[in-house]
Amino acid sequence: MAISLSSILLPVSLLLTLVDAATVTYDFDISWVYANPDGVQNRPTIGINGKWPIPPIIATKGDRIIVNAMNSLGNESTSLHFHGLYQNGTNHMDGPESVTQCGIPAGGSFTYNFTVDQPGTYWYHSHTHGQYPDGLRGPLIVHDPDSPHKDLYDEEIVLTFSDWYHDLMHGLLADFISIKNPGGAEPVPNSALVNDTQNLTVSIQPGKTYLFRIINMGAFAAQYVWFEGHTMKIVEVDGIYTEPAEANMIYMTAAQRYSVVITTKNSTDANFAFVGSMDQDLFDNIPDGLNPNVTGWLVYDEKKEKPAPKEVEAFEPFDDFGLVPQDKEGIYDKVDHSLTLNLKMDNLGDGANYAFFNDVTYMPPKVPTLYTTLSTGPNATDPTIYGSNTNQFVLEANEVVEIVLNNDDPGKHPFHLHGHAFQVVSRSEDEAGAYTPSSSTSFPQTPMRRDTVLVHPNGNIVLRFKADNPGVWLFHCHIEWHVASGLVATMIEDPLGLQRQLSGKIPESHLQACKDSNTPTEGNAAGNTVNLLDLKGENTSPGPLPAGFTARGIVALAFSILAAFLGMGIIAWYGFAPIKAKTR
Ligand SMILES: *[C@@H]1O[C@H](CO)[C@@H](O)[C@H](O)[C@H]1NC(C)=O
Ligand SMILES: *[C@@H]1O[C@H](CO)[C@@H](O)[C@H](O)[C@H]1NC(C)=O
Ligand SMILES: *[C@@H]1O[C@H](CO)[C@@H](O)[C@H](O)[C@H]1NC(C)=O
Ligand SMILES: *[C@@H]1O[C@H](CO)[C@@H](O)[C@H](O)[C@H]1NC(C)=O
Ligand SMILES: *[C@@H]1O[C@H](CO)[C@@H](O)[C@H](O)[C@H]1NC(C)=O
Ligand SMILES: *[C@@H]1O[C@H](CO)[C@@H](O)[C@H](O)[C@H]1NC(C)=O
Ligand SMILES: *[C@@H]1O[C@H](CO)[C@@H](O)[C@H](O)[C@H]1NC(C)=O
Ligand SMILES: *[C@@H]1O[C@H](CO)[C@@H](O)[C@H](O)[C@H]1NC(C)=O
Ligand SMILES: [Cu+2]
C-alpha cells in the first residue's frame, strides 16, 4: 500500500493548513488468505496484500483517491464499491459489476480514480455477486478539518461490527437460491465480530472525549450496539452531520454508520464492556448454541478485570428517524417524480425463492447498464433498452424524486441508494401495510438524511432526493442474500447529461476488464446495437411456477418431503423434487 508522501511526512497540524488537496494511492493485491476471527474455524478469506483484516482507506475532504486493484483470486471476478461516496462526475468508479463496470476478471487489474468532497464515515466492499462477506470489506474514512463537531472530541477511534460465516459465500448462495430452500431462509451467521475479531480491548484515557466511528459492514445481521456505563452522543449518520443526539443503544443495519462522541470517566477504577448483539428477528431458524453477541472493552486500566457484560432485558434502541441534519436542509416538498416499489418474496419456476420489486426480480444485464447509456445516443432515455429484469427508472436532471417502498414481507430490510444520501420523510411502524399519501401531513421539516435506511416488517418508507448527480445508481436491499435473490432497482439519472460527462472517457483498464471477460460494452441490455428495442437473448429470471403450483404449495411440498426424507439425505430429495420450469 502506498500512501502519498504528504500524508506520511507532515505532522497533522501542518497537513490541515495545506491548501492543495492530496492524492492518496492504494495498491491492492486481492487474494485468498486464511483467517479465523472467531477462533472456531480457519477458512479461506479474501485479503489484500496477503493480509486480512484488509486496510482502511483514509483520506481528507477534497483528496483524490486512487485504488489500483489487482485481482489475484484466481477463481472469481471482483470489483470495489466505495459505499456512500457520491462519485459525482465519476459514475464509472462506483463499482457494481454489470452496472457501472465489468467484473475485474481473475488476473486482471483495474484503477479506481475519484475525488472525495464529502467528509464522514464510509466503507468499501466488493460489489460482485455475493462476495463481500468472504472478507472483502473495510472502513473508508474521510477526515474534515472543518467539522462542525471538531470541538466535541479529543481523539477518534474506528470500530467495525459485522457478522461472520464459517462457510464461503459461493456454496451458501447455491444452497440459499435453491429448490431445497423454497421458503428462502437466509443462512444464519456463525458469529458476530468487532474489528474482525472478538474480545477487543480499546485503550482509553480518563477525562477525555472520543469520536467513535462505528460501521456495520456485515452481510445480513443488524446489530444493537451499546457501551456499558457510557452514553453516546450521535453526531453523524452515513456521512451526514447531525445535531448531537443522546443515545444509550443504537441499532445498526448492515451498511449503516454512526459517529458517536463518548466522554470517558474521570477515574480509572473500572473497565467497561461494550456489546454488539445481532438482531435475531432476522433469522428464520436459530441454531442451537448461537452466540449473537460480540463483546469488547473500554479499558481504563489494563491491570483491572474486564467484566462480563450485564444482560440487557429489552432492546430499546435510539430511533434514527428523529435525527436532524446539522445543515438543516429542508424537506423537498415539491415532488416531480414519485415512483413506487412494492417488495415481495416468492418462488419462481425453478422452485427457488426470489425477491421482487413490482413483480420483477433483478437479473444483471449482459451489457453493464452504464455502457448501455453511453452507447445508445438519444435512445438512452428510453427505459425499455435497459432490459426486462433490471427494475429501471429513468430520472430527469434535477427533478425531485420520491421513492415509496412498500414492504409486503414480514422481514426487516435495509435499503441503500448509490450516488446520493436521501431524505427519509416517512417511515411506518410494523404491519402498517402500503403507504397512503393521505398520511403525509406530519412530515418532518428537516428530515434525517442518510444512505441506508431500515424499512419495518410489512411497513413502508418514503425517501426523497434531488436528481443532481448524473449516473447509473443502484437502489437495493443491503442484505447480501437479498441482492443475490434480486431485490435491486436501477436509477438511470440524467442519461444524456451522463453521456456529456463520460462518453469516450472510460479508461483503458475498465474496457480491458470487459474484453478479458468477453462482455459486450455497447447496445441494449442484450447487447443488441442495431435495434435497441429488441431484447432477444437478454438475461432473464426463471419463468413463473408451472400452472397449478402455488408458491404456498411448493413450500408445503418441500417441507413435507424434507420431513419425510429426513435422515435419508439429499439424494432421495434430489430424486424426488425436480419441477419443470416453464419458459416464458
Ligand atoms: C472471546 O471470549 C469468549 C469468552 O471467553 C470466548 O468464548 C471466545 O472464544 C473469545 N473469542 C476469541 C476470538 O478469542
Ligand atoms: C476459490 O479458491 C478458494 C481458495 O483456494 C477456495 O477455498 C474456494 O472454494 C474457491 N471457490 C470456488 C468457487 O471454487
Ligand atoms: C486520475 O484522474 C485524473 C483526472 O482525470 C487524471 O489527471 C489522472 O492522471 C488519473 N490518475 C490515474 C492514476 O489514473
Ligand atoms: C479497529 O480497526 C480500525 C481499522 O479497521 C483501526 O483503525 C482501529 O484502530 C481499530 N480499533 C481498535 C480499538 O483497535
Ligand atoms: C470530570 O471532571 C470534570 C472536571 O472536574 C467535570 O467537569 C466532569 O463533569 C467530570 N466528568 C465526569 C464524567 O464525571
Ligand atoms: C446476548 O446479549 C443479550 C442481551 O444482553 C442477552 O440477553 C443474551 O443472553 C446474550 N446471549 C449470549 C449467548 O450471551
Ligand atoms: C454533483 O455536482 C453538481 C455540480 O457541482 C452539484 O450541483 C450537485 O449538487 C452534486 N450532487 C451530489 C449528489 O453531490
Ligand atoms: C431509437 O429510437 C427511435 C425512436 O423510437 C427509433 O426509431 C430508432 O430505431 C432507435 N434506434 C435504434 C438504434 O434502435
Ligand atoms: Cu432485504
Side-chain angles (χ1 to χ4, degrees), residues 385-540:
I385 69 169
Y386 297 101
S388 313
N389 276 92
T390 57
N391 286 312
Q392 67 276 44
F393 295 88
V394 173
L395 310 178
E396 281 178 32
N398 295 314
E399 64 182 0
V400 171
V401 181
E402 175 181 82
I403 298 176
V404 176
L405 189 146
N406 298 314
N407 178 13
D408 191 11
D409 177 76
K412 301 175 183 174
H413 302 271
F415 278 96
H416 171 49
L417 176 63
H418 291 220
H420 292 272
F422 41 67
Q423 297 182 339
V424 184
V425 304
S426 176
R427 172 165 60 193
S428 79
E429 294 304 314
D430 294 12
E431 308 301 328
Y435 173 73
T436 46
S438 62
S439 62
S440 73
T441 45
S442 55
F443 284 165
Q445 287 312 293
T446 49
M448 168 183 64
R449 296 201 308 283
R450 60 187 316 165
D451 63 42
T452 307
V453 69
L454 178 75
V455 59
H456 292 134
N458 294 108
N460 62 71
I461 44 175
V462 181
L463 315 175
R464 291 181 185 170
F465 64 96
K466 190 169 181 203
D468 60 2
N469 189 13
V472 175
W473 308 115
L474 288 188
F475 176 78
H476 64 91
C477 177
H478 219 291
I479 291 175
E480 195 67 340
W481 306 113
H482 300 166
V483 175
S485 65
L487 204 46
V488 179
T490 314
M491 303 293 152
I492 298 138
E493 182 169 333
D494 187 14
L496 302 184
L498 185 56
Q499 290 175 356
R500 287 192 293 275
Q501 280 182 355
L502 294 183
S503 279
K505 297 212 184 106
I506 301 301
E508 192 45 41
S509 72
H510 294 214
L511 297 173
Q512 191 63 42
C514 303
K515 282 190 200 119
D516 291 347
S517 56
N518 290 319
T519 307
T521 53
E522 287 180 356
N524 66 16
N528 192 332
T529 54
V530 180
N531 179 358
L532 296 172
L533 299 178
D534 179 4
L535 290 161
K536 198 154 73 263
E538 69 172 331
N539 294 334
T540 55

Side-chain angles (χ1 to χ4, degrees), residues 149 232-237 242-247 250 258-261 318 323:
H149 298 312
M232 298 175 261
K233 194 180 282 170
I234 299 167
V235 295
E236 179 221 326
V237 283
T242 65
E243 296 280 287
E246 299 241 321
I250 53 176
Y258 281 82
S259 280
V260 303
V261 174
F318 181 87
L323 287 169

Side-chain angles (χ1 to χ4, degrees), residues 53 88 289 447 459:
N88 198 342

